[in-house]
Amino acid sequence: QTAGWVQCEELCQQFPHGITDQVIQNDMPHLEPQQRAMAINKLLSLGQLDLLRNSSGLLYRMKDMQSTSKMKGSDNQEKLVYQIIEDAGNKGIWSRDIRFKSNLPLTEINKILKNLESKKLIKAVKSVAASKKKVYMLYNLQPDRSVTGGAWYSDQDFESEFVEVLNQQCFKFLQSKAEAARDSKQSPMVQRNSSFATSHEVWKYICELGISKVDLSMDDIETILNTLIYDGKVEMTVIAAKEGTVGSVDGQMKLYRGVNPVIQPTGVVRTPCGLCPVFEDCHEGGEISPSNCIYMTEWLDF
Amino acid sequence: MTAQEVRLCGLLLQEHFGEVVAKVGTHLLKSGAQNLRTIIHETGISLDLVKKSLCVLVQHGTCVFSSGRKAPGSPTEYRTSCDRILRILRYPRYIYTAKTLYGDTGELIIEELLQRGDMTMSSTVKTVADRLTQNMEEGRSMDYSEVSSAFSKLVETHFLQRSTPATPAIPGTPAAPVSTAPPTPESFPDCYRVPHVTLIGRGKRRLSNEDGEDQRNAKKTKMDSETHGDEGIYWQVNFERFHLHFRDQAIISAVANKLDQTSSEIVRTMLRMSEVTTSPTATCTKPLSANEIFRSLPSSYNIPRPILDQYLTLLVDDPMEFVGKAGESGGGMYVVNLHKALANLARATLESVVQERFGSRSARIFRLLLRKRHLEQKQVEDFAMIPAKEAKDMLYTLLSQNLVQLQEIPKTPDYAPSRTFYLYTVNQLPTARMLLQNCYKTVANLIERRLFESKESKNKRTFSTGDIIESSFWSVGVTILTIVLFPCRLDSAENQVDETIFLLESYVNSTATS
C-alpha cells in the first residue's frame, strides 16, 4: 500500500503534464479504486500534487519544485489559495471567486491574502471595469489589458490630457502633410494622394516624438485618428495593399488626411439667441424677454 | 404653421405694412380661409380698413382669394400662408443679388417690384429711370432703353415672371372645387415673355424740394397718364429662381472651402450649364459630359483637358459626393448631386450649432452619433475617448435639448431597465426642423429688440440744441449708437440668421420631394 503512492509519485514525475485516473489504473491494475484515491490524497496532503480538471476528468500533476519550496512554512489552506490565484493567470481573480473555489470562510481568505501579500507572493490590482473591485494575481505577473484599461488608463484614471495631446499631435502631422502637398503645386491627383498618411506613418511619427511613456500600438493610434474624424478635422479611406507592405493589415491600409470645414460657423450662432441657455424660457412680456435680455445688451455693447 | 412662424410673420407684416395689416394678416394665418364679413367680425376692425389691408396683402401675393367653399355664389374667401410672408425677411438678399448680377439698374428694378408687389413693365422702367437719374450728376439722365434691357434680361433669366392674371369671382357662377390649387405663374405659357412696349424717353429728375412722401404720390398719379402697349400685364419677382441661385452659391462656396478654387469653378460651370435644364425639385442636374464642361469653362481658367478629368475624379471621390459620375460616354458623364449637397450642408449647420453652443467634445459625440447611427453609452465613451463621467454629462445635456434621442430596445417584453438596450441616436431631419423653428424665434427676438431699441431712442431723440451742448460728449455718442448702430447690428444679425434659415428650409423641402 505504501508503494501505491510512491508509484503514483513516480508516474507523475514521468508525465510532468499530469496524469489521469485512467493512467494510474493502467499502470497499477491491481490497485483498488479506494486505494488509488488514498494514494492521491496522500500526495495531495504532502503538497506534491496539483489537482486539475480538464474536459475529460480530473488530472493529477506534479508540483513545480520551486513553488513547493516557496510554500515551506505556509499551511495547506494558503497553498490552496495560492494555487487558485496562480491559475487565474494575468487576468487575476476576485476574492469572492477565491471563496467559491476553495470553500473557505471569508475571514480565513482575507487573513491568507494579507499573509501572501506581505510575503510578496501575490499583489492586488484595481480593475478598470469596476473601480471597487480588486483582483489578485501573482506578484511578478503583468496584468492583462482588460484589467488595466490599456494604454489610456494609468492607475484607474483615464488619461484625458494624454489623449488630448496625442490628438493634437496627430492632427498637426496630418495638417502639415496636407499643406506641403498643396504648396507642391503639382497636379491635383498627386496633391491629394501626397496629402494622405497611412496609420503606420502616423504611428511611427508619434513613437519618434517620444511623448508617450507607454508603448502605443498602431491600433491605439487608429483610435486617436478616429476621434479626429469625429472632430470633423480628418477623413479616412481604405486602400488595398499587397500582403507584406509595411503597415498593412489583412491586405488593407488605412489612409488619413486633414480636411477643411465645409462651412463657416452658421449665422444663427453669431447671435446671442443661438447660444442662449434660457432660450426656451424667453418670450415677450415674460421675465426673460428680448427687450430686457442681458445677453443682447452685452452683445450690443461689444 | 407653428406659433413661432405666426409670430415672426406678424412682426414682418407690422414692419412693412403697419399694425392694421399685421392684425388682419395674423388673424387669417391663425384662422384659415375666411370671408370678409367673418374677418371684420372677429378682428373688430372697420370694413374700410380690412378692405385696404386685404388689398395690400393681395397686391403683394401674400393673400389669395377664391370663391367660397360652402356653396356656389357664397362670398369670396381669403387665405394667407406663412411661406410667402416669411420671404419678406429675405428681401435684402434678393436686392443685393440683383445688384451683383445686373448692377444698380437690376437692384432698383427688384427693389421697386418688392415694394409694390407687382407692376407693369412700363411703370417699373419709368420709376427706376427716374430714381437712377436722381443719383446721377447734374445734366445727365438714364435712358428708358437701358432700363428696359435690364428688365428684359431679368425676365429671360426667369428672375421676374408675370403675375397670374386675376380671374374675378363672378357671383352666380359655380365655385371652383377647393381641391384645385390656385394656378401658378408657370402654368401660363407667356410667363416669361417680354411684351412689346413702346417706351421712349429718359428718366426725369425730380425737383429738390420734394421729399420721399411726394415721390410716392407722384408715382401713383403718373401711372394713368400714358399707355405703352402692356396694360394689364403685371410682373412680380420670382422668388424660387432666386432661391435656386442661392442654393447654387451655397454649393459652390462649400466646394471652395472643402477642396479649392478651381474645383469650385468647375462646379459653378456645371451649375450654370444646368440652370435651364434642371427642374427646381430635381435631385441632381442632368448629366453633362466632360467634353461639354471643358468647352464651357471660363476662358480665364486655362486647365488642360487631362487635369480637368483629374479634378472631376477628385470631386466624385470626395466623401461629400458633391459630384457624381453618371456614365462613361463623352469622356465621362457627370452630375451635381443637389439634394445630397443640401443634406451635407444641413448636417454641417447642425454640427456647427452643437459645437458653438456646447463645445468641441459635445460636437465630437454629435458627429459620432451621426456617423454610427445607434450607440450605447459605453460605446460613445470608447469611440469618442471621453471619460465616462463627462461623456454621460454631455449626452444628457444634448438629450435634454432634444438634439440627441434615446432608443429603447428591450430584450424582454417587460421593458425592464436592466434587460433593455438604451441606444443614443441622432435623426437629422427632425433635428433640422427643430433648429429651423429656433431660427424663426431668434429672428423674431431680434426684431422685437430692434423695435424696443428704436422706441427707447425715440424717447431720447427729441432733444434741443441746448441739451446737446449741456450733455456730455459720451452720452450723445451713446444715443447716436442706439439710434444708428444697434439697429444696424440687429438688422445684419437678422440677415445672418436668414442664411441659416435658407439652408435648413431648402434641406427640409428637398426631403419632401425626394
Side-chain angles (χ1 to χ4, degrees):
Chain A
Q1 268 174 344
T2 44
W5 68 264
V6 169
Q7 196 136 356
C8 283
E9 200 186 344
E10 277 172 20
L11 266 177
C12 286
Q13 281 172 336
Q14 221 179 356
F15 298 102
H17 293 294
I19 54 173
T20 60
D21 198 57
Q22 191 61 44
V23 174
I24 303 175
Q25 205 178 350
N26 291 342
D27 191 63
M28 297 179 278
H30 57 276
L31 218 52
E32 296 284 324
Q34 270 173 314
Q35 293 165 314
R36 275 207 305 274
M38 271 168 55
I40 298 294
N41 278 333
K42 177 97 184 176
L43 285 172
L44 277 174
S45 62
L46 281 178
Q48 287 191 304
L49 272 195
D50 275 329
L51 185 61
L52 301 165
R53 182 188 282 277
N54 68 6
S55 44
S56 41
L58 291 173
L59 203 67
Y60 313 108
R61 191 175 69 184
M62 203 76 212
K63 251 202 211 164
D64 182 21
M65 269 348 262
Q66 287 163 323
S67 60
T68 41
S69 63
K70 252 193 265 172
M71 295 312 279
K72 275 205 188 88
S74 322
D75 61 1
N76 282 345
Q77 284 180 329
E78 277 196 14
K79 277 186 223 159
L80 186 56
V81 170
Y82 183 82
Q83 183 72 66
I84 295 171
I85 294 178
E86 189 180 21
D87 291 340
N90 67 351
K91 288 224 163 53
I93 185 166
W94 197 16
S95 57
R96 205 210 273 188
D97 294 333
I98 301 178
R99 183 150 55 104
F100 283 152
K101 285 209 174 157
S102 64
N103 281 322
L104 295 169
L106 191 57
T107 44
E108 271 300 315
I109 301 252
N110 286 337
K111 208 168 48 160
I112 294 169
L113 287 173
K114 249 202 218 117
N115 217 343
L116 288 172
E117 269 184 289
S118 61
K119 285 196 205 151
K120 290 217 183 290
L121 291 169
I122 63 171
K123 66 181 175 190
V125 174
K126 268 199 285 187
S127 169
V128 73
S131 56
K132 304 274 165 54
K133 217 161 132 174
K134 272 200 295 201
V135 292
Y136 293 92
M137 60 181 71
L138 293 185
Y139 194 73
N140 47 4
L141 279 182
Q142 191 73 258
D144 183 69
R145 253 182 178 213
S146 59
V147 175
T148 60
W152 314 122
Y153 288 83
S154 81
D155 297 331
Q156 196 63 75
D157 295 320
F158 183 74
E159 293 257 10
S160 312
E161 261 185 48
F162 177 50
V163 168
E164 200 45 48
V165 166
L166 282 177
N167 181 296
Q168 284 171 8
Q169 287 300 325
C170 288
F171 181 56
K172 254 195 242 171
F173 176 72
L174 290 172
Q175 219 183 7
S176 54
K177 195 145 200 250
E179 265 181 48
R182 262 197 300 274
D183 294 338
S184 71
K185 296 277 181 239
Q186 298 191 301
S187 79
M189 197 61 94
V190 174
Q191 263 186 44
R192 194 197 66 151
N193 290 340
S194 55
S195 62
F196 275 114
T198 64
S199 38
H200 183 84
E201 278 175 60
V202 183
W203 173 75
K204 217 164 107 186
Y205 171 75
I206 295 292
C207 288
E208 279 166 15
L209 267 187
I211 48 177
S212 169
K213 321 175 233 84
V214 290
D215 284 331
L216 293 169
S217 71
M218 208 165 83
D219 277 341
D220 292 328
I221 295 294
E222 280 180 7
T223 33
I224 298 276
L225 288 168
N226 284 340
T227 62
L228 281 169
I229 297 178
Y230 308 134
D231 281 337
K233 293 184 181 160
V234 157
E235 68 184 23
M236 173 189 85
T237 54
V238 180
I239 58 166
K242 220 167 43 172
E243 277 300 321
T245 324
V246 165
S248 69
V249 178
D250 296 331
Q252 283 182 338
M253 279 213 290
K254 295 202 179 103
L255 299 173
Y256 298 85
R257 71 181 185 123
V259 290
N260 301 321
V262 82
I263 56 164
Q264 306 297 324
T266 190
V268 74
V269 298
R270 293 187 228 149
T271 66
C273 301
L275 310 171
C276 178
V278 289
F279 186 70
E280 308 293 327
D281 302 324
C282 168
H283 39 258
E284 197 55 31
E287 267 196 48
I288 305 172
S289 76
S291 319
N292 63 18
C293 175
I294 52 172
Y295 297 121
M296 285 229 200
T297 314
E298 266 174 40
W299 177 67
L300 288 171
D301 287 340
F302 309 103
Chain B
M1 188 127 49
T2 66
Q4 290 304 333
E5 287 173 23
V6 173
R7 176 184 169 218
L8 181 54
C9 288
L11 285 167
L12 290 169
L13 288 174
Q14 186 183 331
E15 285 224 292
H16 281 254
F17 306 118
E19 275 208 45
V20 181
V21 177
K23 255 203 196 135
V24 174
T26 326
H27 175 80
L28 275 175
L29 279 173
K30 290 190 207 166
S31 65
Q34 280 189 346
N35 61 38
L36 185 57
R37 179 145 293 228
T38 323
I39 299 174
I40 296 169
H41 179 71
E42 288 185 11
T43 56
I45 303 174
S46 72
L47 169 67
D48 192 46
L49 285 177
V50 171
K51 268 196 191 166
K52 287 202 180 125
S53 308
L54 287 172
C55 277
V56 170
L57 289 171
V58 170
Q59 170 83 6
H60 282 83
T62 51
C63 175
V64 294
F65 56 87
S66 54
S67 311
R69 295 164 288 175
K70 285 210 195 104
S74 65
T76 328
E77 287 187 330
Y78 300 89
R79 198 179 313 129
T80 57
S81 76
C82 275
D83 297 340
R84 179 59 188 81
I85 302 177
L86 288 171
R87 296 290 86 80
I88 296 178
L89 188 56
R90 209 162 283 158
Y91 282 5
R93 200 169 172 192
Y94 300 136
I95 297 170
Y96 181 71
T97 305
K99 189 189 181 96
T100 54
L101 293 174
Y102 298 105
D104 287 341
T105 321
E107 177 194 358
L108 289 183
I109 294 175
I110 298 293
E111 204 184 306
E112 283 298 319
L113 280 169
L114 285 174
Q115 252 185 0
R116 298 283 314 201
D118 56 20
M119 279 162 82
T120 60
M121 179 172 170
S122 38
S123 42
T124 316
V125 168
K126 285 195 273 191
T127 319
V128 171
D130 288 344
R131 280 184 70 179
L132 285 167
T133 308
Q134 196 64 30
N135 293 333
M136 292 166 105
E137 311 155 355
E138 208 49 57
R140 295 192 56 203
S141 60
M142 174 62 78
D143 194 300
Y144 284 172
S145 57
E146 248 187 84
V147 184
S148 295
S149 79
F151 193 98
S152 307
K153 269 192 249 164
L154 280 164
V155 174
E156 269 166 37
T157 46
H158 293 204
F159 284 108
L160 293 179
Q161 62 186 183
R162 290 200 197 190
S163 313
T164 40
T167 42
I170 303 165
T173 54
V178 187
S179 53
T180 53
T184 61
E186 279 85 3
S187 55
F188 295 92
D190 284 341
C191 183
Y192 298 110
R193 189 170 70 81
V194 180
H196 183 71
V197 282
T198 45
L199 262 177
I200 304 168
R202 309 189 71 87
K204 291 173 193 55
R205 193 183 296 274
R206 62 166 194 268
L207 300 171
S208 51
N209 55 5
E210 292 174 27
D211 70 290
E213 294 299 333
D214 288 333
Q215 152 89 152
R216 239 161 264 133
N217 291 335
K219 258 194 262 181
K220 283 194 189 133
T221 49
K222 217 190 282 183
M223 216 77 58
D224 312 321
S225 47
E226 306 162 49
T227 59
H228 299 276
D230 67 338
E231 281 61 42
I233 304 177
Y234 288 88
W235 296 88
Q236 65 186 23
V237 173
N238 182 3
F239 297 118
E240 279 315 306
R241 179 67 185 89
F242 277 98
H243 294 167
L244 295 179
H245 180 85
F246 298 154
R247 178 200 66 189
D248 291 350
Q249 273 186 327
I251 296 177
I252 293 166
S253 86
V255 175
N257 285 337
K258 181 100 200 296
L259 296 161
D260 53 54
Q261 189 65 25
T262 316
S263 303
S264 74
E265 281 307 315
I266 295 173
V267 174
R268 190 197 299 270
T269 309
M270 288 174 76
L271 287 168
R272 199 171 18 92
M273 291 160 73
S274 312
E275 260 170 10
V276 281
T277 55
T278 313
S279 90
T281 53
T283 316
C284 50
T285 60
K286 291 246 164 16
L288 297 166
S289 74
N291 296 334
E292 289 177 290
I293 300 172
F294 183 62
R295 281 196 294 270
S296 313
L297 279 176
S299 45
S300 50
Y301 273 86
N302 226 341
I303 329 176
R305 180 55 203 279
I307 300 290
L308 171 68
D309 286 335
Q310 284 193 13
Y311 274 112
L312 285 167
T313 313
L314 289 177
L315 277 164
V316 170
D317 283 345
D318 192 87
M320 289 254 157
E321 295 180 87
F322 292 113
V323 172
K325 195 159 190 191
E328 293 297 339
S329 55
M333 303 294 282
Y334 297 92
V335 296
V336 177
N337 291 321
L338 299 165
H339 282 197
K340 202 164 276 189
L342 283 174
N344 283 331
L345 286 169
R347 198 184 77 229
T349 307
L350 295 178
E351 291 170 5
S352 166
V353 170
V354 173
Q355 176 133 351
E356 298 297 320
R357 232 181 125 177
F358 301 106
S360 20
R361 293 208 288 175
S362 295
R364 192 190 286 178
I365 292 179
F366 190 74
R367 284 194 199 93
L368 170 62
L369 285 170
L370 273 171
R371 287 179 86 93
K372 302 267 189 189
R373 302 302 177 105
H374 291 92
L375 286 178
E376 285 187 297
Q377 172 129 354
K378 184 80 178 45
Q379 290 172 300
V380 172
E381 291 164 18
D382 290 340
F383 280 122
M385 302 198 81
I386 297 176
K389 215 193 292 190
E390 294 172 41
K392 208 181 278 201
D393 201 33
M394 290 179 205
L395 274 168
Y396 289 169
T397 311
L398 289 173
L399 193 62
S400 69
Q401 296 292 323
N402 222 356
L403 289 160
V404 151
Q405 283 82 42
L406 205 50
Q407 171 88 39
E408 293 174 0
I409 305 204
K411 295 189 225 183
T412 55
D414 64 353
Y415 278 83
S418 59
R419 292 190 290 275
T420 312
F421 288 112
Y422 290 99
L423 301 176
Y424 288 96
T425 186
V426 176
N427 293 314
Q428 189 166 324
L429 183 55
T431 311
R433 276 196 232 263
M434 182 189 79
L435 185 58
L436 185 55
Q437 292 302 313
N438 287 354
C439 287
Y440 291 140
K441 182 172 176 179
T442 304
V443 178
N445 286 350
L446 290 169
I447 294 179
E448 290 207 2
R449 181 57 181 243
R450 182 158 52 80
L451 293 173
F452 173 76
E453 291 288 339
S454 59
K455 210 169 26 159
E456 283 287 295
S457 61
K458 267 209 189 87
N459 301 336
K460 299 175 188 157
R461 203 183 284 194
T462 52
F463 41 71
S464 67
T465 34
D467 288 338
I468 298 179
I469 295 169
E470 274 183 41
S471 59
S472 70
F473 177 71
W474 188 82
S475 68
V476 170
V478 166
T479 318
I480 293 175
L481 268 179
T482 51
I483 297 172
V484 172
L485 197 59
F486 290 1
C488 284
R489 191 127 203 235
L490 289 158
D491 228 352
S492 67
E494 288 164 39
N495 293 333
Q496 286 178 339
V497 181
D498 184 58
E499 283 176 27
T500 311
I501 290 177
F502 175 71
L503 276 178
L504 292 172
E505 270 179 1
S506 307
Y507 164 63
V508 171
N509 291 339
S510 76
T511 57
T513 53
S514 60

mmCIF file of all heavy atoms in Angstrom, chain A residues 218-235:
data_model
loop_
_atom_site.group_PDB
_atom_site.id
_atom_site.type_symbol
_atom_site.label_atom_id
_atom_site.label_comp_id
_atom_site.label_asym_id
_atom_site.label_seq_id
_atom_site.Cartn_x
_atom_site.Cartn_y
_atom_site.Cartn_z
ATOM 1 N N MET A 218 -0.302 50.348 -33.204
ATOM 2 C CA MET A 218 -0.924 51.028 -34.341
ATOM 3 C C MET A 218 -2.431 51.129 -34.125
ATOM 4 O O MET A 218 -3.057 52.119 -34.504
ATOM 5 C CB MET A 218 -0.617 50.254 -35.629
ATOM 6 C CG MET A 218 -0.604 51.142 -36.839
ATOM 7 S SD MET A 218 0.152 50.405 -38.260
ATOM 8 C CE MET A 218 -1.199 49.449 -38.908
ATOM 9 N N ASP A 219 -3.012 50.121 -33.480
ATOM 10 C CA ASP A 219 -4.444 50.180 -33.161
ATOM 11 C C ASP A 219 -4.753 51.356 -32.262
ATOM 12 O O ASP A 219 -5.766 52.032 -32.439
ATOM 13 C CB ASP A 219 -4.882 48.892 -32.442
ATOM 14 C CG ASP A 219 -5.165 47.783 -33.433
ATOM 15 O OD1 ASP A 219 -5.375 48.106 -34.621
ATOM 16 O OD2 ASP A 219 -5.158 46.621 -33.033
ATOM 17 N N ASP A 220 -3.876 51.592 -31.272
ATOM 18 C CA ASP A 220 -4.095 52.727 -30.379
ATOM 19 C C ASP A 220 -4.112 54.018 -31.176
ATOM 20 O O ASP A 220 -4.973 54.879 -30.986
ATOM 21 C CB ASP A 220 -2.976 52.818 -29.328
ATOM 22 C CG ASP A 220 -3.023 51.673 -28.350
ATOM 23 O OD1 ASP A 220 -4.138 51.195 -28.073
ATOM 24 O OD2 ASP A 220 -1.954 51.269 -27.865
ATOM 25 N N ILE A 221 -3.150 54.168 -32.093
ATOM 26 C CA ILE A 221 -3.083 55.387 -32.899
ATOM 27 C C ILE A 221 -4.339 55.512 -33.751
ATOM 28 O O ILE A 221 -4.880 56.599 -33.953
ATOM 29 C CB ILE A 221 -1.824 55.386 -33.766
ATOM 30 C CG1 ILE A 221 -0.580 55.429 -32.884
ATOM 31 C CG2 ILE A 221 -1.822 56.539 -34.746
ATOM 32 C CD1 ILE A 221 -0.441 56.715 -32.102
ATOM 33 N N GLU A 222 -4.823 54.361 -34.236
ATOM 34 C CA GLU A 222 -6.031 54.438 -35.069
ATOM 35 C C GLU A 222 -7.231 54.902 -34.262
ATOM 36 O O GLU A 222 -8.083 55.636 -34.782
ATOM 37 C CB GLU A 222 -6.307 53.085 -35.732
ATOM 38 C CG GLU A 222 -5.428 52.883 -36.957
ATOM 39 C CD GLU A 222 -5.650 51.557 -37.661
ATOM 40 O OE1 GLU A 222 -6.592 50.832 -37.279
ATOM 41 O OE2 GLU A 222 -4.876 51.262 -38.578
ATOM 42 N N THR A 223 -7.331 54.524 -32.978
ATOM 43 C CA THR A 223 -8.450 55.045 -32.176
ATOM 44 C C THR A 223 -8.332 56.556 -32.012
ATOM 45 O O THR A 223 -9.335 57.273 -32.035
ATOM 46 C CB THR A 223 -8.534 54.411 -30.768
ATOM 47 O OG1 THR A 223 -7.233 54.130 -30.307
ATOM 48 C CG2 THR A 223 -9.360 53.160 -30.755
ATOM 49 N N ILE A 224 -7.095 57.048 -31.865
ATOM 50 C CA ILE A 224 -6.919 58.500 -31.769
ATOM 51 C C ILE A 224 -7.316 59.159 -33.087
ATOM 52 O O ILE A 224 -8.023 60.184 -33.114
ATOM 53 C CB ILE A 224 -5.454 58.863 -31.451
ATOM 54 C CG1 ILE A 224 -5.037 58.302 -30.110
ATOM 55 C CG2 ILE A 224 -5.245 60.354 -31.521
ATOM 56 C CD1 ILE A 224 -5.402 59.153 -28.938
ATOM 57 N N LEU A 225 -6.890 58.564 -34.208
ATOM 58 C CA LEU A 225 -7.219 59.152 -35.513
ATOM 59 C C LEU A 225 -8.730 59.140 -35.727
ATOM 60 O O LEU A 225 -9.290 60.062 -36.333
ATOM 61 C CB LEU A 225 -6.494 58.384 -36.623
ATOM 62 C CG LEU A 225 -4.990 58.633 -36.665
ATOM 63 C CD1 LEU A 225 -4.293 57.633 -37.565
ATOM 64 C CD2 LEU A 225 -4.696 60.040 -37.155
ATOM 65 N N ASN A 226 -9.404 58.120 -35.232
ATOM 66 C CA ASN A 226 -10.863 58.099 -35.361
ATOM 67 C C ASN A 226 -11.508 59.262 -34.624
ATOM 68 O O ASN A 226 -12.474 59.842 -35.106
ATOM 69 C CB ASN A 226 -11.432 56.774 -34.837
ATOM 70 C CG ASN A 226 -11.201 55.644 -35.820
ATOM 71 O OD1 ASN A 226 -10.965 55.883 -36.996
ATOM 72 N ND2 ASN A 226 -11.250 54.422 -35.334
ATOM 73 N N THR A 227 -10.961 59.621 -33.446
ATOM 74 C CA THR A 227 -11.555 60.768 -32.754
ATOM 75 C C THR A 227 -11.385 62.032 -33.584
ATOM 76 O O THR A 227 -12.236 62.928 -33.557
ATOM 77 C CB THR A 227 -10.948 61.002 -31.352
ATOM 78 O OG1 THR A 227 -9.568 61.295 -31.488
ATOM 79 C CG2 THR A 227 -11.150 59.810 -30.469
ATOM 80 N N LEU A 228 -10.281 62.114 -34.341
ATOM 81 C CA LEU A 228 -10.107 63.277 -35.217
ATOM 82 C C LEU A 228 -11.151 63.278 -36.324
ATOM 83 O O LEU A 228 -11.616 64.335 -36.750
ATOM 84 C CB LEU A 228 -8.703 63.293 -35.818
ATOM 85 C CG LEU A 228 -7.605 63.815 -34.894
ATOM 86 C CD1 LEU A 228 -6.235 63.542 -35.491
ATOM 87 C CD2 LEU A 228 -7.775 65.307 -34.659
ATOM 88 N N ILE A 229 -11.525 62.088 -36.795
ATOM 89 C CA ILE A 229 -12.598 62.021 -37.794
ATOM 90 C C ILE A 229 -13.891 62.542 -37.188
ATOM 91 O O ILE A 229 -14.631 63.305 -37.809
ATOM 92 C CB ILE A 229 -12.785 60.572 -38.296
ATOM 93 C CG1 ILE A 229 -11.531 60.084 -38.994
ATOM 94 C CG2 ILE A 229 -13.975 60.501 -39.246
ATOM 95 C CD1 ILE A 229 -11.620 58.655 -39.473
ATOM 96 N N TYR A 230 -14.165 62.132 -35.920
ATOM 97 C CA TYR A 230 -15.400 62.603 -35.294
ATOM 98 C C TYR A 230 -15.328 64.088 -34.960
ATOM 99 O O TYR A 230 -16.355 64.711 -34.712
ATOM 100 C CB TYR A 230 -15.721 61.808 -34.021
ATOM 101 C CG TYR A 230 -15.717 60.320 -34.246
ATOM 102 C CD1 TYR A 230 -15.070 59.469 -33.358
ATOM 103 C CD2 TYR A 230 -16.324 59.761 -35.355
ATOM 104 C CE1 TYR A 230 -15.041 58.109 -33.569
ATOM 105 C CE2 TYR A 230 -16.294 58.397 -35.575
ATOM 106 C CZ TYR A 230 -15.646 57.571 -34.684
ATOM 107 O OH TYR A 230 -15.600 56.222 -34.900
ATOM 108 N N ASP A 231 -14.123 64.657 -34.935
ATOM 109 C CA ASP A 231 -13.993 66.100 -34.754
ATOM 110 C C ASP A 231 -14.212 66.836 -36.068
ATOM 111 O O ASP A 231 -14.197 68.060 -36.097
ATOM 112 C CB ASP A 231 -12.591 66.461 -34.239
ATOM 113 C CG ASP A 231 -12.451 66.203 -32.757
ATOM 114 O OD1 ASP A 231 -13.476 66.173 -32.069
ATOM 115 O OD2 ASP A 231 -11.304 66.048 -32.299
ATOM 116 N N GLY A 232 -14.362 66.069 -37.154
ATOM 117 C CA GLY A 232 -14.564 66.694 -38.449
ATOM 118 C C GLY A 232 -13.296 67.280 -39.034
ATOM 119 O O GLY A 232 -13.345 68.094 -39.949
ATOM 120 N N LYS A 233 -12.131 66.884 -38.523
ATOM 121 C CA LYS A 233 -10.889 67.504 -38.994
ATOM 122 C C LYS A 233 -10.137 66.607 -39.962
ATOM 123 O O LYS A 233 -9.213 67.046 -40.639
ATOM 124 C CB LYS A 233 -9.970 67.756 -37.801
ATOM 125 C CG LYS A 233 -10.496 68.790 -36.854
ATOM 126 C CD LYS A 233 -9.472 69.032 -35.759
ATOM 127 C CE LYS A 233 -9.968 70.047 -34.782
ATOM 128 N NZ LYS A 233 -9.243 69.960 -33.518
ATOM 129 N N VAL A 234 -10.515 65.335 -39.975
ATOM 130 C CA VAL A 234 -9.716 64.360 -40.731
ATOM 131 C C VAL A 234 -10.666 63.430 -41.457
ATOM 132 O O VAL A 234 -11.763 63.155 -40.973
ATOM 133 C CB VAL A 234 -8.821 63.554 -39.744
ATOM 134 C CG1 VAL A 234 -8.413 62.220 -40.311
ATOM 135 C CG2 VAL A 234 -7.591 64.343 -39.383
ATOM 136 N N GLU A 235 -10.267 62.962 -42.658
ATOM 137 C CA GLU A 235 -11.083 61.927 -43.293
ATOM 138 C C GLU A 235 -10.200 60.725 -43.608
ATOM 139 O O GLU A 235 -8.978 60.841 -43.699
ATOM 140 C CB GLU A 235 -11.768 62.463 -44.551
ATOM 141 C CG GLU A 235 -10.824 62.788 -45.684
ATOM 142 C CD GLU A 235 -11.562 63.398 -46.866
ATOM 143 O OE1 GLU A 235 -12.650 63.949 -46.666
ATOM 144 O OE2 GLU A 235 -11.031 63.314 -47.970
#
